[in-house]
Amino acid sequence: MTTGRLFGLGVGPGDPDLITLKALKLLKAADVVAYPTGKADGGNARAAVAPHINGKQELLPLLYPTTAGPLADAPSYPQLMRDFYEATSQEIADRLEAGKDVALICLGDPFFYGSYMYWHARLAERFETVVVPGVSSVMAAPIAMDRPLCHRSDVVTVLPATLPEDELEARLSAADVAVIMKLGRTFPKVRRTLDRLGLLDRAVYVERASMDGERILPVRNVEPDETDYFSVIIIPCDAPG
Amino acid sequence: MTTGRLFGLGVGPGDPDLITLKALKLLKAADVVAYPTGKADGGNARAAVAPHINGKQELLPLLYPTTAGPLADAPSYPQLMRDFYEATSQEIADRLEAGKDVALICLGDPFFYGSYMYWHARLAERFETVVVPGVSSVMAAPIAMDRPLCHRSDVVTVLPATLPEDELEARLSAADVAVIMKLGRTFPKVRRTLDRLGLLDRAVYVERASMDGERILPVRNVEPDETDYFSVIIIPCDAPG
């Protein structure tokens, strides 16, 4: 019996209509639809593909052992995540061995900070894979703002908010156009840094770009306890002429 | 009579299957399909949507006054481009005034170095617009390489190769993960800079990611006179574990 194929599908920023045709075709063709999630209901990843899956596919939630809560700082966190990727890779491998094609969905793009890459690293040597790029929130957020991100000779710096505060400051002070990813608990640190650098007036907070509940507001007006992991801060270029 | 709407559609890196469902729906619904091109045959932008357009739509090529040849260095170049955007904006406005919906297609993403933004700046105040994000070559190229671009706390720097050589060197020397866009004539300058920084062994040249004629090779092995504008150089992260 031939083994199944693993499809690593970038499904875009969250709006089910922002999936590509290529990802949609593979999603519909798969026997199993696997999605990483921190929530029992499947969260945003499942919502992004909900209109596209049929009742005949096996749904395989890959439930993270932790959300971005305080546990992420625990010394055991890296090992906890490795154990999670190992165990869930085995669940996926079982289906592939049985000849089933598995679509593993990934919000945004699989190889641009996407968690898909950790399963790919464990499975791509043993099984055939097809990886499909997706629209990143780096592109979706400026469009939600109706503001071009960059043009001509602009240099764009994409920074995870999880950087130490001094490095965040050094990188942002050297940047023209910037996109700050992986917000949430890290918001107060980022806001302080932007304030020190005099960037608060240029920085825009975009939450859940393209999803239900999209919000766009100046970073100055964001309540730190109302931020969401699915958000970015954009420091765009000046308007093109 | 109501005026038409302007659709600014990111159609992705070139493979017609990498268009999003949202862009596809608007493309099919449009009365006019406009596409910027340097070639009489419509080039890559038209090829990216060719399977999706029907024979009833007006095709409106927006023919650039120049390609990326030596003319780009002429003092008159900025004015030449402004004149081009003004004249073609008028062509588009004529159709919108006549109540026709116009889809203006853009390879990659409209607000991420996309030329769509120059028409948007001229038309969005007068007409209703819908802008749709697209998959950028920043995402498509790492997938063509089968290598993750970035993960965890990586900082990603996106640089246009049109930067002056000293600035290119300064920016690259400070970067972890980098994507160099807008290659072509600028390739020899970029190669020299990578060589000086000891980055030649990590840098990968990806030409026409997802399109016919896709080529992936170490920058070291690229013949400078065989490079293409639709190419990027990727300096990816180390493999994730």
Side-chain angles (χ1 to χ4, degrees), chain A residues 17 22 111 113 154 156 158, chain B residues 17 22 113 149 154 156 158:
Chain A
D17 262 8
K22 185 170 181 178
F111 282 172
Y113 300 109
D154 291 328
V156 179
V158 184
Chain B
D17 263 8
K22 184 171 182 179
Y113 300 110
L149 180 68
D154 291 328
V156 179
V158 184

Side-chain angles (χ1 to χ4, degrees), chain B:
Chain B
M1 191 179 66
T2 44
T3 55
R5 293 168 299 166
L6 176 63
F7 306 144
L9 305 183
V11 299
D15 175 348
D17 263 8
L18 289 178
I19 194 172
T20 64
L21 283 187
K22 184 171 182 179
L24 182 66
K25 288 175 187 174
L26 291 171
L27 176 65
K28 286 179 181 286
D31 303 296
V32 180
V33 178
Y35 50 93
T37 176
K39 294 180 180 174
D41 69 358
N44 295 305
R46 181 166 169 183
V49 297
H52 306 310
I53 53 184
N54 62 59
K56 293 172 193 159
Q57 293 167 302
E58 181 193 358
L59 298 183
L60 179 63
L62 308 170
L63 199 62
Y64 283 120
T66 169
T67 58
L71 192 56
D73 296 327
S76 62
Y77 180 73
Q79 187 57 48
L80 206 63
M81 290 307 288
R82 275 194 296 272
D83 291 346
F84 163 68
Y85 287 118
E86 290 295 337
T88 48
S89 290
Q90 190 53 54
E91 288 189 78
I92 294 166
D94 290 345
R95 273 101 180 149
L96 296 169
E97 294 280 7
K100 292 178 179 171
D101 288 336
V102 178
L104 207 169
I105 66 177
C106 179
L107 280 170
D109 178 83
F111 283 171
F112 189 81
Y113 300 110
S115 53
Y116 168 75
M117 68 181 76
Y118 302 108
W119 287 287
H120 189 84
R122 287 167 174 81
L123 295 165
E125 284 186 11
R126 292 166 56 200
F127 301 98
E128 185 184 341
T129 58
V130 183
V131 189
V132 181
V135 174
S136 167
S137 55
V138 172
M139 283 82 208
I143 284 173
M145 291 161 58
D146 194 31
R147 276 287 298 271
L149 180 68
C150 55
H151 67 139
R152 300 211 171 98
S153 292
D154 291 328
V155 176
V156 179
T157 307
V158 184
L159 314 96
T162 48
L163 289 173
E165 190 159 345
D166 55 346
E167 193 183 346
L168 194 65
E169 178 163 344
R171 297 282 193 165
L172 275 171
S173 72
D176 307 331
V177 168
V179 180
I180 308 172
M181 319 268 294
K182 305 193 185 194
L183 292 166
R185 287 190 311 134
T186 56
F187 182 83
K189 173 179 70 179
V190 177
R191 192 195 190 286
R192 273 196 310 271
T193 307
L194 291 168
D195 198 5
R196 273 198 306 277
L197 294 170
L199 289 170
L200 271 189
D201 287 324
R202 285 179 59 204
V204 180
Y205 173 82
V206 183
E207 183 173 296
R208 301 178 62 80
S210 91
M211 290 188 246
D212 288 340
E214 178 183 287
R215 290 202 304 156
I216 299 159
L217 60 171
V219 166
R220 206 182 271 290
N221 300 352
V222 176
E223 295 291 337
D225 55 354
E226 290 181 1
T227 56
D228 190 287
Y229 180 79
F230 288 93
S231 56
V232 294
I233 288 173
I234 301 283
I235 301 173
C237 65
D238 296 329

